[in-house]
Amino acid sequence: MSAVRALLLENLHPDAVTNLEQAGYEVITRTGALDEDELIDALAGVALLGIRSKTTVTARAIASSPDLIAIGAFCIGTNQIDLAAAAHHGVAVFNAPFSNTRSVVEITISEIIALTRRLTEFDRSMHEGVWNKSAIGAHEVRGRTLGIIGYGNIGTQLSVLAENLGMSVIFYDTAEKLALGNARRASTMDELLESADIVTLHVDGRPGNAAMFGAKQIARMRPGAILLNLSRGFVVDPGALSEAIISKHLSGAAIDVFPAEPKRKGDPFESELRGLPNVILTPHTGGSTEEAQEAIGNFVSHKMRDYLRTGTTTLSVNLPNLALDQAPGVHRLAYLHRNTPGVLAAVNATLAEHGVNIEGQLLATRGEIGYVVTDAGGPVEHAVVEALRARPESVRLRLLS
């Protein structure tokens, strides 16, 4: 039997390679992202795919890759993956929702301080040989109001650290969230924009957040305010932000993500925000610290490995979640199926017909997909596997021994 093959793109941490190789898998690495056709070609015979944010995994790519079992997004976002198509074809998707939270929070805090003190301007003058000592336009962050749009894992941790620096915090989120410390929830985004000296965006990649922050929202911000975006590139209109900086309506900005980003390190970067005063531009490195990338590399690769070995789907973003242990000598059937009535009864009837004794069984559903995991006390005949795969509701069946 040939080894399971894994394809890892976009310079993932070496620990991801090591973990998968130690599990006995053949690992292929590539430094950059792939377009759709390149990805389809590269996925021939591949069971595990690891990517970051630059590779888009389309429905066509998934449908063209019958050997694909799991996709690991070695980042927070999964909007670059067609999650519904992956579920429809029985492909589990895992990400790293917590591993780089601290890194993003720390760069946000550092940029808030740098922009409020206008360190970018002083740094540029000094490199140009100009001594421009002045307190004009430079402020402490203590006593200023930070507005956080998106109060999830990053937003809440940022909220706590900002308060420790003496800032007041106001936040806005479309979901009901518990305020930490003395943070105050804004009833509308406009209320936050009119109250905050600094606005920072930490929203997710859902389609509804596209173009959510444009000229109208920027106009609502206080004169001299600062805007930061370390969430998704399609959230902020860079042209509107450029106009606000040039007109001095905003005194600064920090942007880490962009509507169109180069695929590979060293590729040219163009933006209307280049060269503007007191604007920090970083190449999508908000979560790119050595500590975060190591944590992500380990977390996601272990999730992929565990899914292949035991069928565990804990923290999968597109399949029903089941946390599973596997006892020695147990033969496991991991059965993904369309969520229709009577599946469990049909599975058990099929097993009974073939004399399979059930040691344990779990069922979970998520939208249109159901997941039945059955542990048998003895070997499962090939006829059982074929009978279940032939059922009309079948999506994917794996026999794990």
Side-chain angles (χ1 to χ4, degrees):
M1 182 177 178
S2 61
V4 170
R5 184 176 296 173
L7 173 65
L8 305 183
L9 308 178
E10 303 184 65
N11 288 318
L12 302 185
H13 194 274
D15 280 4
V17 177
T18 300
N19 291 335
L20 295 177
E21 286 181 339
Q22 288 178 347
Y25 307 150
E26 176 190 347
V27 180
I28 303 164
T29 61
R30 297 200 186 183
T31 57
L34 300 179
D35 63 28
E36 186 180 52
D37 289 334
E38 291 172 331
L39 183 61
I40 290 171
D41 290 340
L43 284 175
V46 168
L48 300 177
L49 172 65
I51 63 169
R52 295 177 72 181
S53 58
K54 297 294 187 297
T55 300
T56 299
V57 186
T58 63
R60 174 172 166 254
I62 293 167
S64 302
S65 308
D67 296 315
L68 189 62
I69 295 174
I71 300 170
F74 286 70
C75 52
I76 294 177
T78 56
N79 55 293
Q80 72 276 35
I81 303 167
D82 192 319
L83 298 179
H88 177 75
H89 289 277
V91 178
V93 179
F94 299 95
N95 69 335
F98 314 112
S99 299
N100 66 358
T101 298
R102 179 68 183 199
S103 295
V104 177
V105 169
E106 286 191 4
I107 194 174
T108 303
I109 289 289
S110 69
E111 290 179 338
I112 288 171
I113 294 173
L115 292 169
T116 305
R117 291 294 300 272
R118 302 193 71 84
L119 297 186
T120 59
E121 295 294 278
F122 293 132
D123 176 72
R124 182 178 300 177
S125 294
M126 292 292 284
H127 279 285
E128 292 173 351
V130 177
W131 184 269
N132 185 26
K133 182 178 180 179
S134 172
I136 297 174
H139 301 277
E140 295 180 352
V141 297
R142 180 180 56 177
R144 298 177 79 77
T145 298
L146 174 64
I148 302 173
I149 298 177
Y151 205 63
N153 299 321
I154 294 170
T156 50
Q157 190 172 141
L158 175 61
S159 175
V160 172
L161 291 186
E163 282 200 347
N164 287 335
L165 289 172
M167 303 184 77
S168 299
V169 176
I170 183 172
F171 71 90
Y172 174 75
D173 199 298
T174 55
E176 194 66 35
K177 296 292 179 70
L178 176 67
L180 300 184
N182 295 313
R184 178 172 64 87
R185 182 189 181 102
S187 57
T188 65
M189 189 188 300
D190 284 348
E191 178 189 348
L192 180 146
L193 298 178
E194 293 165 1
S195 304
D197 301 299
I198 301 145
V199 174
T200 183
L201 306 176
H202 300 284
V203 298
D204 61 28
R206 71 189 67 183
N209 287 333
M212 68 172 286
F213 213 90
K216 180 180 177 182
Q217 289 72 31
I218 291 172
R220 285 277 191 177
M221 293 176 65
R222 301 174 72 171
I226 289 167
L227 176 66
L228 297 91
N229 182 24
L230 292 99
S231 59
R232 300 293 186 273
F234 59 62
V235 170
V236 172
D237 178 352
L241 176 57
S242 173
E243 292 177 6
I245 295 291
I246 292 170
S247 70
K248 300 188 185 313
H249 174 62
L250 298 185
S251 65
I255 305 296
D256 184 55
V257 287
F258 303 87
E261 297 182 356
K263 284 189 175 183
R264 294 173 176 84
K265 181 179 179 180
D267 286 352
F269 167 70
E270 297 296 335
S271 173
E272 49 266 81
L273 299 172
R274 286 178 52 193
L276 296 182
N278 207 32
V279 172
I280 298 173
L281 303 179
T282 48
H284 205 145
T285 54
S288 294
T289 59
E290 292 186 10
E291 294 85 355
Q293 293 308 304
E294 180 180 358
I296 291 170
N298 281 291
F299 183 86
V300 180
S301 62
H302 286 152
K303 286 293 178 186
M304 298 167 75
R305 178 204 63 191
D306 292 347
Y307 178 63
L308 254 64
R309 283 181 172 177
T310 68
T312 296
T313 51
T314 305
L315 294 182
S316 169
V317 297
N318 71 325
L319 295 184
N321 277 205
L322 286 178
L324 305 164
D325 293 322
Q326 190 167 6
V330 166
H331 300 263
R332 172 165 290 172
L333 284 164
Y335 184 45
L336 287 164
H337 58 86
R338 284 182 284 280
N339 185 15
T340 56
V343 172
L344 186 60
V347 168
N348 290 341
T350 301
L351 296 176
E353 288 170 9
H354 291 82
V356 177
N357 185 44
I358 298 175
E359 297 281 338
Q361 193 171 59
L362 289 172
L363 166 68
T365 61
R366 182 174 188 162
E368 298 179 356
I369 299 295
Y371 189 33
V372 177
V373 177
T374 305
D375 286 343
V380 178
E381 297 176 358
H382 182 69
V384 177
V385 175
E386 290 305 307
L388 291 174
R389 281 179 177 158
R391 293 197 56 79
E393 71 275 359
S394 292
V395 172
R396 173 168 253 151
L397 176 67
R398 293 192 299 134
L399 178 59
L400 312 174
S401 298

